[in-house]
Amino acid sequence: MALLDRIRKEWFIIGIVLVISFAKLEPSVGVRGGPLKPEITVTYFAVSAIFFNSGLSLKTEELTSALMHVKLHLFVQTFTLAFFPVAIWLFLKLLALTAINEWLLKGLQTVGCMPPPVSSAVILTKAVGGNEGIVVTPVLLLIFLGSSSSVPFSSIFSQLFMTVVVPLIVGQVCRRFVKDWLERRKPPFGAISSAVLLIIIYTTFCDTFSNPNIHLDRLSLLLVVFIIFSIQLGFMLLAFIFSSRKKSAFTPADTVAIIFCATHKSLTLGIPMLNIVFEGFEHLSLISVPLLIYHPAQILLGSILVPTIKSWMVTRQRVRAAATLYMPPLYDGNVPRHKHPENHTPLSSQPGCRMNLVSRSQGQIGGVFKN
């Protein structure tokens, strides 16, 4: 029973392995010009379906509320779309001296260029994933990998606009008319997008396995897996250090949001975007591999680190709450001794007050992680 629950929970990651295996066994089904006609069904219908679904599920009121956190928003955007890709680019200068497959290394650069997830448990991620990423990510891809892209810049943006922006806006408009129904029925938006994404991944690897000139050595793949986990951990640590400093003025809850939002990368937006930017490119699947690895890596590391991060957050919340509660008023030198502050008992040490403080703090933190 526990195994079935685990499979049900991680069905998407298992699905990635299965569709790549099916593509290896029967690539002719999903190849360009094959029965599935991916050049039409995937390029236009599948990608549009994913972003229409995202627009339909995106709660505008939560998005507006998240956008009010301007400083947090700017920090995440700067970290994930400026610092992250530049740092990866510098790191790849060293890795280029090794024997690792060059297309996997280019794939690592695409990971650095990707925005945070469009839909996530953290509301802020919704705010930062759908707008800047659509514009900045293709620019970054063309800056770092421009020589590999055979599609004109204007064509990339026109196709992104028609298959990403327009469906997203249409989904938001439709949501206004069926909002009550959606709230009652709660359709499985995430599962729908993931299922469509599996089709895109399948057709991408069908093209690869049908090309006899493309080879991938296992050592390069294993090294890339190790590098991806190291990158993820390293950037999470950097995000924590930058955002937890006293001068940053971020709350513990802000730091938790930054750790995950600034280091996670969107597979839902990334795979369709790579298909648009590198349309018809024979090494597209190899470039996609690091992003496909990064997705389960961020889920696995996140689940492992949540207890530690939650414990840190609880401690910091208690300290901040205690400091806020004990704020003695200002006194001048003429106050009688029986009213002097040194004869007053701090509020936080009065009977029953400390327990209330702890319980309130735990309630707030529980609410954050519940969401």
Side-chain angles (χ1 to χ4, degrees):
M1 193 65 180
L3 179 61
L4 290 176
D5 290 339
R6 191 66 182 177
I7 292 174
R8 193 179 296 112
K9 185 178 180 180
E10 306 295 347
W11 70 272
F12 179 64
I13 296 175
I14 297 172
I16 291 176
V17 176
L18 290 176
V19 297
I20 293 175
S21 301
F22 290 153
K24 175 68 174 177
L25 293 173
E26 197 60 50
S28 60
V29 176
V31 75
R32 294 176 69 84
L36 288 182
K37 300 290 183 184
E39 63 273 16
I40 299 173
T41 56
V42 169
T43 303
Y44 297 101
F45 294 106
V47 175
S48 298
I50 286 176
F51 289 99
F52 172 77
N53 186 60
S54 295
L56 203 60
S57 64
L58 196 62
K59 296 181 180 180
T60 311
E61 60 276 10
E62 293 182 350
L63 178 62
T64 304
S65 174
L67 286 172
M68 296 302 292
H69 300 280
V70 178
K71 185 177 180 180
L72 187 58
H73 181 88
L74 290 175
F75 183 95
V76 171
Q77 292 288 17
T78 303
F79 191 97
T80 195
L81 293 176
F83 176 76
F84 204 120
V86 172
I88 292 293
W89 179 74
L90 293 173
F91 183 48
L92 290 180
K93 290 294 183 181
L94 296 175
L95 292 180
L97 302 175
T98 67
I100 299 176
N101 186 290
E102 63 171 314
W103 300 108
L104 290 181
L105 294 182
K106 289 181 183 292
L108 285 174
Q109 185 64 70
T110 66
V111 170
C113 297
M114 290 299 148
V118 173
S119 58
S120 173
V122 184
I123 305 267
L124 177 70
T125 308
K126 292 184 177 180
V128 301
N131 299 320
E132 291 84 346
I134 294 172
V135 177
V136 176
T137 296
V139 173
L140 292 174
L141 289 173
L142 292 174
I143 289 174
F144 292 111
L145 303 169
S147 60
S148 303
S149 179
S150 58
V151 183
F153 194 76
S154 58
S155 176
I156 290 172
F157 274 98
S158 62
Q159 191 167 346
L160 281 172
F161 183 78
M162 293 304 299
T163 58
V164 176
V165 179
V166 172
L168 199 63
I169 294 173
V170 172
Q172 277 283 278
V173 172
C174 292
R175 179 178 173 81
R176 291 178 178 271
F177 297 99
V178 294
K179 180 180 177 181
D180 294 337
W181 182 84
L182 292 173
E183 294 295 334
R184 288 197 308 271
R185 294 298 182 90
K186 299 185 183 303
F189 292 113
I192 294 171
S193 292
S194 297
V196 177
L197 192 58
L198 288 177
I199 297 174
I200 298 175
I201 295 170
Y202 170 70
T203 57
T204 299
F205 277 87
C206 281
D207 281 331
T208 298
F209 294 128
S210 63
N211 188 339
N213 298 322
I214 297 178
H215 302 284
L216 176 61
D217 61 288
R218 295 180 180 179
L219 179 60
S220 290
L221 186 60
L222 289 174
L223 288 174
V224 166
V225 171
F226 174 77
I227 290 168
I228 285 173
F229 274 90
S230 301
I231 288 173
Q232 175 79 357
L233 278 172
F235 278 100
M236 290 181 79
L237 180 60
L238 287 174
F240 173 77
I241 292 172
F242 291 155
S243 61
S244 62
R245 295 178 306 155
K246 291 183 179 179
K247 293 182 179 180
S248 69
F250 289 123
T251 66
D254 291 339
T255 298
V256 172
I258 287 170
I259 289 172
F260 292 109
C261 291
T263 60
H264 281 205
K265 297 294 183 176
S266 175
L267 184 66
T268 306
L269 181 60
I271 293 297
M273 191 172 291
L274 289 178
N275 275 267
I276 293 171
V277 176
F278 298 100
E279 183 181 7
F281 191 62
E282 64 176 357
H283 292 96
L284 171 60
S285 59
L286 294 185
I287 293 175
S288 305
V289 166
L291 185 58
L292 292 174
I293 297 172
Y294 197 93
H295 178 76
Q298 65 191 14
I299 294 174
L300 177 61
L301 288 176
S303 62
I304 292 173
L305 294 174
V306 158
T308 303
I309 294 174
K310 184 176 181 180
S311 176
W312 171 85
M313 183 178 171
V314 169
T315 304
R316 288 296 296 269
Q317 288 277 28
R318 287 175 179 172
V319 171
R320 288 172 65 92
T324 303
L325 269 179
Y326 181 40
M327 295 181 64
L330 297 175
Y331 294 88
D332 56 32
N334 298 322
V335 178
R337 181 168 178 79
H338 69 279
K339 293 183 179 180
H340 200 274
E342 69 183 12
N343 294 324
H344 283 259
T345 304
L347 180 60
S348 58
S349 63
Q350 292 178 5
C353 180
R354 188 174 299 277
M355 185 60 69
N356 292 334
L357 168 62
V358 173
S359 61
R360 280 202 302 272
S361 178
Q362 288 176 336
Q364 292 172 357
I365 294 157
V368 171
F369 278 89
K370 183 180 180 181
N371 293 328

